[in-house]
Amino acid sequence: MAFGAFNHHRNPGPMADINVTPMVDVMLVLLVIFILAAPMFTGSVQLELPKAQAPAAQTAPAATVTLSIDGKGKIFWNNDPVEREALESRLIDAAKLDPQPELQLRADKDTRYEVVAQVMAAAQSNGLTKLGFVTDPKEKK
């Protein structure tokens, strides 16, 4: 044992025993906390929801408009080439539709960000609120 010895003539060396009592205490406290907390994570409130008879809402799905931009900055509206001036009028017409179509923006990876930002700004300024970016899920090699 490395505790106090009455022999003062011995050369005291470093204590080689590791005191694991504090570590065991902490582990037991954590175990108790997890045992008490585990039922709270899995518990749920049992509700009996009311039942109602209502027909399903018949809503037509909103149309989607695919707006593509190639690497040179040329814009395509549903695969048809369109000039910037005509794009403004098409965006205005699309914004007036009810429900408003979702604008799916497809841009080539070599497209300048400036062109993409201008198209997004034109869509927003003309009242289109639904805009999504389309990407390829896998990189083709």
Side-chain angles (χ1 to χ4, degrees):
M1 291 270 256
F3 297 119
F6 293 107
N7 186 359
H8 297 295
H9 301 293
R10 263 181 58 196
N11 188 5
M15 187 174 170
D17 296 335
I18 296 175
N19 191 2
V20 294
T21 305
M23 184 179 69
V24 171
D25 289 345
V26 169
M27 294 300 289
L28 288 175
V29 168
L30 288 174
L31 179 66
V32 169
I33 289 172
F34 287 134
I35 288 173
L36 294 176
M40 291 180 208
F41 294 132
T42 60
S44 63
V45 177
Q46 296 297 325
L47 295 176
E48 194 167 325
L49 298 174
K51 296 181 178 26
Q53 297 293 330
Q58 299 293 329
T59 58
T64 59
V65 174
T66 303
L67 198 60
S68 303
I69 307 171
D70 67 0
K72 296 176 184 172
K74 185 136 177 79
I75 302 171
F76 297 88
W77 181 280
N78 288 335
N79 297 327
D80 297 328
V82 65
E83 296 298 323
R84 302 240 175 157
E85 299 80 25
L87 176 66
E88 295 283 332
S89 65
R90 287 192 183 197
L91 290 172
I92 292 170
D93 293 341
K96 291 178 183 175
L97 295 175
D98 187 34
Q100 208 176 65
E102 178 183 345
L103 188 65
Q104 294 181 348
L105 188 61
R106 300 172 56 98
D108 189 84
K109 68 178 181 177
D110 296 327
T111 305
R112 292 181 48 90
Y113 178 71
E114 177 183 19
V115 177
V116 175
Q118 288 172 354
V119 169
M120 289 173 51
Q124 182 181 14
S125 64
N126 289 314
L128 284 170
T129 58
K130 299 176 183 175
L131 176 69
F133 289 95
V134 179
T135 60
D136 286 331
K138 292 183 181 177
E139 197 174 293
K140 296 178 182 176
K141 293 183 181 180

